[in-house]
Each structure stands twice: as C-alpha cells, then as structure tokens.
Amino acid sequence: MPFTHGFPRADIHELLSPDLLHQIIKGTFKDHLVTWVTDYIEAVNAPAEAKRILADIDRRIAAAPSFPGLRRFPEGRGFKQWTGDDSKALMKVYLPAIAGHVPSEMVRAISSFMDFCYLVRRSVIDEDDLVDIDAAVADFHRYRVAFDLVRPDGYSLPRQHSLVHYTHLIKEFGAPNGLCSSITESKHIKAVKEPWRRSSHFEALAQMLVTNQRLDKLAAARVDFRARGMLKTPLFGETEVTEPGPPSMPPEEDDDGGAVDEDILGEVILSQKPLPPSRLPRNATQLGVHLGIPHLHELISRFLYEQEHPDDDTPLDDIPLDQCPTVKGKVRVFPSAVSTYYAPSDKSGIRGMFRERIRAVDSWRKGPGRRDTVFLSGGPGLEGFRALLVARIQLFMSVIHNKATYPCALVSWFSTVGDHPCPDTRMWMVEPDFDSMGGRAMSVIHLDTILRSAHLMGVAGDNFVPYELKFHNSLDAFRSFYVNKYIDHQSHEIAF
C-alpha cells in the first residue's frame, strides 16, 4: 500500500516517470536482448558451433573502426560486471555484429528497439517523433516473436512493458533525457563509490566524508589559484627532464572533442599545426611520390579548377588537365581537422554545440594509422542519408594558390548500395569506389563540404571474420559497409 493511499488528491502512479538507464539501456537491451541472442545461438547450435559463432560476434565488435569517443571492446561482449556506460557503448556496435548469425526477424526486432531507444533519448521530441516512437514499439512487438524459443513463458516483463507508456509519459514529463537516473548515478559515483574505494572499508562513512571535503577544498583552491594567475607556469619554475623517446602528441591532437559553449553555427577547420617539412615535402609532386599517390598533383589541379570555376557543372574528370591550374604553391599536411556542429541530444554545450576531431595520421597513439570516414553534403532538396555522401579522409591539406589558401582534404569515395536502407538493420549500406586501374577512386575536396565524422562497420553476413582482422584495418577488409547511424544521436538524426 503506497503511503499516498489516504491522500485525497494524490495518485502515486502518476508520479512514475520514465527511466532510460534501468528500463531501456540496462534493462531491455542488456538484461533481455543481449542475453536472449546468446541463449538462442546456444539453443539452435551444437555447443562447439555456438561457441564459434559467439567468438565471431566478439571479433566483429572488437574490429569496429575507431570513432571519436567510442569505447573499444578488445574482448567483445565479455564483462564480469556491466555498467550503464558499457551498455550504451555496446549498443553502438552490437547490431552489425550479430547480423548474419541470427534470423532476420531477430535483427529487425533489435533494430526496432534501437530506433525506439534513440528516439526517446533525444533532448527535443516533437509530434512526429512521438508517432515514430509508437511505430518502433509496434515493430518491436511484431518481430520479437523470433525469441519465442528462448522465451517459452512469454514477454510479461515490467521493463519491456514500460515501452508502451513512453509517449504518454513524454507528454506528461517532457523528454526522458532530463529524468534519467544516470544523472544521479553519475553523482553517486563521485560522491560515494570513488570515496569508498579510497577508504579502508572499515567504518568507511567518516573517511568518505573527509575525502569529499578535501576534494571540494582542492577544487576551490584550484579555481582561486587560476584566478590569481598562479597556474600559468610550472609550480617549481623548471620543467621535468624526461628520457628521450618518440615525439609526444600535442595535447589538442589527443583530444577527441566534446561540448562547446561558444555561439557558433558550425564549421570544420584544420588543426593548429601542420606536420613539419622534415616529415613530409611541401611540393605537390614530391608529396605525391612520398605518399605513393603519384597523381596527387593532378587531383589538386582539378580541385583548384573547381574553386576558380564554381559555376562549371562539367565533371572534373572530363576537364582536360592542361586547362587546370598548375600547383606551384606550398602544400602543407595536417594530422587532423575539428568539426563543430549542432547536436543537442549528445553531451553538448549549453547551446547544443558539439566538437569532434577527425583524424588522418600514419600512427595514432604510437600504434597503427587512423583515417576516419566522414559525411559530406550531397544533393540539395533531399532528406536523411539521401542528402549525404560518405568518404574516407586520406590526407588533410592546405594549398596556397595565387596568394589564397585553400583548406582541403584528399578523400577516397564510397557509393550507396541500393535505394533504401537494409530492411533488417535499418542502416544504409555503402561500398568502396574504384578507378579504371583498380585503385581507390580519390579526389580533393574543400573542407567546407565536410559535415562531421561517419562510422562504418563491415557487412560480414554469415561469414566468419579472420582472427587477424583488427579495428585499424577493418575499413580495408570488407566489400560493403553499414553506415552506422547508432554510433551517436546526431548520426541517428541525419542518416535515416
């Protein structure tokens, strides 16, 4: 009996608000769907074959290409203890990993749930979104019969039942993002869990209180010291002498991005410092030879022609090279570019702006190279992914021509597969383009045509990926790729 039973104008049931973390992310996704997929694979296959399939799913997850802020899963789904962040990160790469190993209806059930999840997690929800939320729930209920084998007792589960009430609760309470228990959970970690780990675990309450008091005083002291200008120089006047080794990465290059509080419409700019001439030549022809792209100077010439003749609709490949400008100025190469765009549903600034770093480097964090994929603006008058193009950054450059500097990028292209998204995963598919010589089709584009990072995951089907496949070479290993709209909320909003 609730304590409000005797209150004449109180109904405890009307106070129940949606909880994304425990009902949707950790509840329906982690505790139900991920577990049911594993149970299904083990139920319909011999033990050795089931183990082989689950290991392949883990390899697919581990081989997901890098993306700003994406958590790596080197061992796949295996966790001793799951957290909310683990579940959120796995949601981003799970669907392409199981496609081909489970029935289509099962993939469609999970993709329907994923669409529901990303819709209700938006910070701004309109009437059209409410219609889409109800449609996603209906699709999920229609396709989840694929789990009947592992759910013989049915689906009378409170956390899954809560899905049907979300449109009503959104109308009552607003966007669930502002009500999620992950808000208080994050404070609980800082105020309780971390101080507990620092304590002796014996009569720990007093120790935890002292820890929180000291951390508050240290934070206040830092603010005061910074205001007095005391933290602008090294504390003891001398920098620490370190052993010689590989050159360290500039601090800004090691930053994936984050929230932006400035008032800005959106832009893509090159990183602050180019690579030094000692590493790469600054002559276009010599740079192409050094990089193994001997026709680089031709691509730059055609790019300059396009910049000087913006109204010419002739395909660049049909323009005679002798009509294109000769590249005489310096070509400087940059390791990255920074994209700033409006993404209110992600962890953005107070104005909804978000910043991410797009990279094209031969070695990332002293490991293999990293060349990110991006969305580019495509045809006008179209919506969703039909208005976008996908390319992979091979090189960030600035070209000086006739006393003007052009920020640009060398990209390799992808073409869309089909006229509609995959009916099972609800994700668009792309395939790499090749030229007449069998090499990757490339061109130089202006930096202003880049919108933001994109994330691709290979389409493996029912094939087993090789053991040597890693995250740094998976973009070169598949014939086609899913355009992963579940990598973050803004991708889900633009790549439908």
Side-chain angles (χ1 to χ4, degrees), residues 91-229:
M91 288 180 73
K92 299 178 179 182
V93 297
Y94 186 68
L95 193 59
I98 65 171
H101 282 317
V102 296
S104 296
E105 291 77 11
M106 198 170 291
V107 177
R108 294 186 181 193
I110 297 178
S111 65
S112 302
F113 167 78
M114 296 279 283
D115 275 342
F116 166 84
C117 183
Y118 277 72
L119 286 167
V120 298
R121 287 169 66 186
R122 292 182 179 180
S123 293
V124 179
I125 300 176
D126 57 24
E127 292 291 339
D128 292 336
D129 293 332
L130 294 177
V131 174
D132 292 339
I133 288 171
D134 284 335
V137 173
D139 289 342
F140 174 64
H141 288 162
R142 180 166 65 254
Y143 291 122
R144 73 176 177 182
V145 296
F147 293 104
D148 285 351
L149 178 65
V150 295
R151 290 296 305 172
D153 297 331
Y155 302 93
S156 181
L157 303 166
R159 284 177 289 186
Q160 283 197 28
H161 174 72
S162 67
L163 271 62
V164 302
H165 296 290
Y166 262 69
T167 53
H168 169 71
L169 294 174
I170 289 171
K171 294 176 183 178
E172 293 290 320
F173 295 99
N177 250 1
L179 303 168
C180 183
S181 58
S182 60
I183 299 173
T184 53
E185 179 74 15
S186 63
K187 302 301 180 184
H188 176 73
I189 292 172
K190 288 291 183 183
V192 179
K193 288 186 177 180
E194 292 180 357
W196 161 261
R197 296 186 187 117
R198 295 174 180 175
S199 72
S200 66
H201 298 179
F202 175 72
E203 296 183 353
L205 179 58
Q207 303 172 49
M208 294 162 62
L209 293 174
V210 171
T211 297
N212 284 331
Q213 291 172 2
R214 291 175 176 173
L215 289 174
D216 290 342
K217 291 178 180 179
L218 286 171
R222 173 176 286 274
V223 172
D224 181 60
F225 293 165
R226 181 173 287 123
R228 297 171 183 266

Side-chain angles (χ1 to χ4, degrees), residues 66-70 252-253 255-260 267-271 336-343 346-347 353-359 370 372-375 396 450-455 487-491 494:
S66 298
F67 187 84
L70 177 63
E252 66 274 6
E253 289 299 326
D255 181 19
D256 271 342
V260 180
E267 63 180 3
V268 179
I269 59 175
L270 294 172
S271 57
S336 66
V338 176
S339 173
T340 305
Y341 53 89
Y342 183 67
D346 291 299
K347 293 182 178 180
M353 302 304 295
F354 186 83
R355 177 177 292 150
E356 68 184 6
R357 190 171 293 273
I358 308 167
R359 294 182 170 86
R370 173 173 170 178
D372 293 341
T373 51
V374 293
F375 288 122
F396 283 115
I450 297 176
L451 298 179
R452 55 151 303 175
S453 293
H455 190 249
I487 194 64
D488 59 27
H489 295 287
Q490 214 262 350
S491 293
I494 67 174

Side-chain angles (χ1 to χ4, degrees), residues 154-407:
Y155 302 93
S156 181
L157 303 166
R159 284 177 289 186
Q160 283 197 28
H161 174 72
S162 67
L163 271 62
V164 302
H165 296 290
Y166 262 69
T167 53
H168 169 71
L169 294 174
I170 289 171
K171 294 176 183 178
E172 293 290 320
F173 295 99
N177 250 1
L179 303 168
C180 183
S181 58
S182 60
I183 299 173
T184 53
E185 179 74 15
S186 63
K187 302 301 180 184
H188 176 73
I189 292 172
K190 288 291 183 183
V192 179
K193 288 186 177 180
E194 292 180 357
W196 161 261
R197 296 186 187 117
R198 295 174 180 175
S199 72
S200 66
H201 298 179
F202 175 72
E203 296 183 353
L205 179 58
Q207 303 172 49
M208 294 162 62
L209 293 174
V210 171
T211 297
N212 284 331
Q213 291 172 2
R214 291 175 176 173
L215 289 174
D216 290 342
K217 291 178 180 179
L218 286 171
R222 173 176 286 274
V223 172
D224 181 60
F225 293 165
R226 181 173 287 123
R228 297 171 183 266
M230 298 168 61
L231 300 180
K232 294 181 179 179
T233 58
L235 185 60
F236 299 105
E238 297 181 357
T239 58
E240 182 181 358
V241 178
T242 57
E243 295 295 327
S248 61
M249 184 176 298
E252 66 274 6
E253 289 299 326
D254 198 39
D255 181 19
D256 271 342
V260 180
D261 288 333
E262 291 92 346
D263 193 4
I264 187 173
L265 293 178
E267 63 180 3
V268 179
I269 59 175
L270 294 172
S271 57
Q272 295 181 358
K273 296 181 180 180
L275 297 177
S278 59
R279 294 182 58 182
L280 290 174
R282 292 190 171 178
N283 174 273
T285 303
Q286 296 175 2
L287 178 63
V289 173
H290 181 86
L291 297 174
I293 311 174
H295 62 300
L296 176 63
H297 67 284
E298 298 179 3
L299 298 176
I300 298 176
S301 294
R302 297 186 187 279
F303 164 74
L304 294 175
Y305 177 90
E306 182 181 32
Q307 301 307 304
E308 293 181 348
H309 303 82
D311 297 328
D312 190 347
D313 295 331
T314 307
L316 286 180
D317 292 339
D318 296 338
I319 303 295
L321 196 59
D322 55 8
Q323 295 183 16
C324 299
T326 302
V327 187
K328 297 180 180 179
K330 292 182 179 179
V331 178
R332 297 186 299 172
V333 177
F334 293 78
S336 66
V338 176
S339 173
T340 305
Y341 53 89
Y342 183 67
S345 298
D346 291 299
K347 293 182 178 180
S348 54
I350 57 177
R351 293 179 177 86
M353 302 304 295
F354 186 83
R355 177 177 292 150
E356 68 184 6
R357 190 171 293 273
I358 308 167
R359 294 182 170 86
V361 292
D362 292 330
S363 178
W364 167 239
R365 291 179 177 172
K366 301 180 182 180
R370 173 173 170 178
R371 286 176 170 81
D372 293 341
T373 51
V374 293
F375 288 122
L376 295 92
S377 55
L382 301 176
E383 292 184 347
F385 184 75
R386 291 180 175 87
L388 301 174
L389 301 173
V390 177
R392 187 180 184 187
I393 302 294
Q394 301 295 331
L395 209 63
F396 283 115
M397 305 177 290
S398 69
V399 179
I400 300 176
H401 178 68
N402 291 340
K403 299 182 179 181
T405 301
Y406 297 93

Side-chain angles (χ1 to χ4, degrees), residues 442-462:
M442 296 184 182
S443 62
V444 176
I445 61 171
H446 198 283
L447 214 62
D448 288 345
T449 62
I450 297 176
L451 298 179
R452 55 151 303 175
S453 293
H455 190 249
L456 306 183
M457 288 192 67
V459 179
D462 57 359

